[in-house]
Amino acid sequence: MVTTKTGWVVALGVVVSLAATGCGSDTKPQAASSATPKQEPTAAATPETKKESVTLKFMQYTASGSQEQTLGDMVKAFESANPDIKVKVDIVDYNNYYTKLNTQLASGDAPDVFEVGYENFVSYAAKNTLKDLTPIIAKDTTFKPEIYKGLAYDSFKYQNKQYGVVESFSDVVLFYNKDLFDKKQVEYPKADWTWKQELEAAQKLTDAKSGVWGTYAPIQFYEFYKTIAQNGGGIWSADGKPTVNSKENIEALNWMLDKAKKYKVSPALNDDTFNQPDADLNAFKAGKIAMLRGGIWNFGRFADAPFKWDIALEPGNTKKAHHFFADGLVVSDKSKNADAAWKFIKFMSSDPSVVSKRIEKGWSVPAVSDEKVMDAYFKQTPPESKKIVLEALNSLVLTPVGPIPDKWNDLTKAIGDELDKAKLKSDYTAEKALNEAQAKIEKLVAK
């Protein structure tokens, strides 16, 4: 299961109005008659000045690796509809994306428009690096926020100002191998399953001799903050104080560790194979994992798996909780082409042709509210239970940026390093790991 984006989320019933270019007239002034004095051409007869062409620089990461052509087709459609605007696209793989973006922002050579995940969006907005789109949106009489799913649209607000527009969303669900369940005569996961039912099923499904594991989820920061939410825990209290080492969080981390250490329904924590990138995804597709917590962006990856599979809501303990990842498009505060940039991000996030193309190519989920368009998404199988994707939104948990959004990377590293120790050191308990993480986060808040 990967819960970072490989380039982690999300179609429209309103047609975006297109700007007239105003460059279609080649009329020349009429020649003066020899019988009349020569006159200067009137203003009406003067050739129209062609609209100056604008070039937008656009940087993004979610197309990297599989959707480059799809993105190219979308950009061509925009340029065709807006011939006075050209778009220079820079696709960067996720691992290098933010390093390159931050370098350009620091040097004053930022792209006009760039893609950003919700968890990083808050950090950029807090640093005043984004253009406040609120006044631009207010004067656009063709735009209606209702075309997007409300929660997804509002996630790109900061201090009640709209700094971006949601492009797509994704979440994480429970993938399961129906063939393995059938072979062991185990009932398929149900919506009311808790960790207890998951463990009972995993014990029946595990066949260590054959290398088949009952359930799997990685032990890393993103999985941790979602899992603790399933036990009523969290990184922050309601008033913004760190609660990393709470009783609920320690219980949740023990559950994550014990699936391998105690119950042995997951691969050993020091298994080198499962510490490699995408090892869990490859193992699921090879029929070696019965239940996998995985992102919906893997639907296409598993489409040709040699067995039947489906998805279900993740089992929780005291409550349900699911990841919610949203990718949005924002405009640099330094951009001199804000109006053109707004046209572009509106088109790329909501135009029917773009949204339909995103669905057709299986590129995450558009964050639009048109049920007819979404129906086309649900009809794409596998999985059969695709509506689970939307049901998971009823129990979503946002990335816990808390009161220090500008220190997001420091936060994830502080907790992630302690999780690694608990995972790989036999004498490093969940309680010790989270006590150490708590101390680190308290220092970050105090700085």
Side-chain angles (χ1 to χ4, degrees):
M1 189 293 263
V2 286
T3 54
T4 56
K5 297 178 184 158
T6 54
W8 205 35
V9 267
V10 251
L12 154 77
V14 179
V15 177
V16 177
S17 65
L18 305 178
T21 63
C23 59
S25 174
D26 290 321
T27 305
K28 303 289 185 183
Q30 295 295 318
S33 167
S34 59
T36 58
K38 183 177 181 181
Q39 298 179 356
E40 293 297 321
T42 64
T46 303
E48 293 184 15
T49 303
K50 288 187 177 180
K51 221 174 190 180
E52 185 177 350
S53 179
V54 171
T55 298
L56 294 175
K57 293 193 295 183
F58 174 43
M59 182 186 291
Q60 71 102 255
Y61 57 87
T62 57
S64 176
S66 62
Q67 299 291 353
E68 291 90 345
Q69 184 60 53
T70 306
L71 177 63
D73 292 342
M74 292 175 175
V75 170
K76 286 180 181 178
F78 171 78
E79 291 178 333
S80 178
N82 299 272
D84 57 314
I85 304 175
K86 302 301 178 185
V87 182
K88 183 179 180 181
V89 180
D90 184 12
I91 301 174
V92 183
D93 66 282
Y94 183 78
N95 289 335
N96 295 299
Y97 179 77
Y98 284 105
T99 299
K100 182 173 183 178
L101 175 62
N102 292 338
T103 299
Q104 293 191 5
L105 288 170
S107 68
D109 189 33
D112 295 280
V113 178
F114 56 94
E115 191 173 54
V116 64
Y118 167 77
E119 69 280 3
N120 290 300
F121 159 74
V122 179
S123 177
Y124 287 122
K127 293 177 181 177
N128 298 315
T129 57
L130 307 181
K131 182 82 69 179
D132 177 11
L133 300 177
T134 309
I136 298 176
I137 293 173
K139 70 180 183 181
D140 185 348
T141 58
T142 70
F143 178 72
K144 298 187 183 302
E146 302 82 49
I147 63 178
Y148 303 97
K149 295 185 182 300
L151 176 67
Y153 181 75
D154 290 342
S155 65
F156 285 90
K157 282 183 178 178
Y158 179 71
Q159 296 183 341
N160 295 318
K161 295 179 180 180
Q162 198 75 38
Y163 283 93
V165 174
V166 64
E167 177 186 27
S168 64
F169 81 87
S170 57
D171 49 29
V172 173
V173 294
L174 186 72
F175 288 74
Y176 64 96
N177 183 321
K178 297 176 76 172
D179 286 5
L180 289 177
F181 273 76
D182 292 343
K183 180 179 179 180
K184 295 291 186 177
Q185 297 183 325
V186 178
E187 69 170 352
Y188 298 151
K190 294 182 178 180
D192 61 353
W193 269 24
T194 65
W195 292 348
K196 180 178 182 292
Q197 283 74 45
E198 178 186 353
L199 175 59
E200 290 172 347
Q203 289 173 323
K204 297 174 183 177
L205 293 160
T206 298
D207 184 351
K209 291 182 179 180
S210 300
V212 175
W213 302 101
T215 189
Y216 184 81
I219 297 175
Q220 38 97 306
F221 174 77
Y222 280 81
E223 188 66 20
F224 173 72
Y225 83 70
K226 185 268 307 285
T227 305
I228 62 178
Q230 293 175 348
N231 197 43
I235 302 294
W236 305 100
S237 65
D239 57 354
K241 295 180 180 178
T243 56
V244 180
N245 63 344
S246 70
K247 174 178 176 289
E248 293 81 3
N249 293 356
I250 294 172
E251 288 177 350
L253 180 53
N254 274 323
W255 156 249
M256 296 174 70
L257 297 168
D258 283 349
K259 282 182 283 185
K261 286 185 175 182
K262 181 178 179 180
Y263 303 114
K264 303 189 186 304
V265 294
S266 291
L269 297 176
N270 60 356
D271 186 321
D272 289 339
T273 299
F274 278 86
N275 287 324
Q276 300 303 311
D278 294 346
D280 52 348
L281 304 178
N282 296 334
F284 180 80
K285 190 171 182 179
K288 298 299 183 180
I289 295 178
M291 290 180 284
L292 172 73
R293 284 169 168 78
I296 63 174
W297 53 87
N298 292 304
F299 287 165
R301 185 184 194 121
F302 299 149
D304 60 348
F307 54 83
K308 294 178 181 179
W309 59 274
D310 206 348
I311 61 172
L313 292 174
E314 284 192 46
N317 193 33
T318 64
K319 61 187 292 187
K320 293 287 188 184
H322 293 85
H323 285 120
F324 173 73
F325 297 118
D327 289 305
L329 299 176
V330 297
V331 180
S332 168
D333 184 53
K334 303 300 182 184
S335 175
K336 297 180 180 179
N337 303 305
D339 289 335
W342 166 245
K343 283 185 181 181
F344 179 65
I345 66 176
K346 182 172 65 170
F347 185 94
M348 294 296 286
S349 62
S350 65
D351 185 82
S353 65
V354 166
V355 169
S356 296
K357 178 70 70 174
R358 184 178 288 277
I359 291 175
E360 175 192 343
K361 297 300 182 181
W363 186 8
S364 65
V365 187
V368 294
S369 55
D370 190 306
E371 293 185 1
K372 291 183 179 179
V373 177
M374 292 307 296
D375 187 55
Y377 171 74
F378 295 134
K379 287 179 179 177
Q380 288 182 339
T381 58
E384 294 296 327
S385 304
K386 210 166 188 180
K387 289 190 176 181
I388 293 292
V389 169
L390 293 188
E391 290 180 29
L393 297 182
N394 295 327
S395 52
L396 63 85
V397 54
L398 293 173
T399 44
V401 294
I404 50 172
D406 57 323
K407 299 176 183 177
W408 172 250
N409 290 333
D410 295 328
L411 170 72
T412 60
K413 186 178 188 307
I415 297 177
D417 286 349
E418 293 303 317
L419 295 178
D420 285 343
K421 293 175 184 177
K423 173 183 174 182
L424 299 174
K425 294 184 177 181
S426 59
D427 59 343
Y428 211 83
T429 66
E431 183 174 6
K432 179 175 177 56
L434 297 188
N435 283 339
E436 291 294 324
Q438 174 77 11
K440 292 179 179 180
I441 303 306
E442 288 175 350
K443 288 181 180 180
L444 285 177
V445 173
K447 287 183 179 179

